[in-house]
């Protein structure tokens, strides 16, 4: 279990662990409905804004940029 203060103040997160459990509860038809909903909204509410793309060699710059501008979007590392 993760305490809410850890998520808010200590940078801990929760990644999609619930998806398999939820899929088992809703069954195939429910899962298909969920996928259809996500596809419909893929370019709007589920979209991620990319603020910068940097080569892997500039990982230190990418981490600093993400730390400073995290609320603006994502920083992608590209090969």
């Amino acid at each position: 279990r993760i305490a809410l203060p850890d998520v808010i103040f200590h940078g801990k997160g929760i990644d999609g662990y619930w998806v398999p459990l939820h899929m088992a509860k809703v069954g195939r038809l429910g899962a298909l409905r969920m996928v259809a909903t996500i596809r419909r909204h893929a370019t709007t509410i589920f979209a991620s804004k990319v603020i910068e793309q940097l080569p892997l060699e500039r990982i230190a710059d990418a981490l600093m940029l993400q730390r400073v501008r995290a609320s603006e979007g994502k920083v992608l590392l590209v090969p």
Side-chain angles (χ1 to χ4, degrees):
R1 297 189 73 174
I2 296 177
L4 186 57
D6 284 342
V7 175
I8 296 171
F9 301 111
H10 298 118
K12 293 184 180 178
I14 302 169
D15 276 351
Y17 73 92
W18 64 272
V19 172
L21 297 175
H22 181 71
M23 296 291 227
K25 288 180 188 174
V26 299
R28 273 197 183 145
L29 187 56
L32 289 173
R33 285 184 183 131
M34 190 168 81
V35 168
T37 300
I38 291 168
R39 282 187 178 162
R40 262 195 325 274
H41 298 294
T43 59
T44 57
I45 61 174
F46 293 126
S48 293
K49 180 179 177 186
V50 176
I51 58 172
E52 191 77 48
Q53 291 187 38
L54 297 171
L56 221 39
E57 297 80 23
R58 293 189 53 202
I59 191 168
D61 295 332
L63 290 171
M64 182 58 70
L65 184 61
Q66 185 62 34
R67 180 177 291 166
V68 174
R69 298 178 58 197
S71 63
E72 295 176 45
K74 297 183 186 282
V75 176
L76 295 183
L77 291 169
V78 294

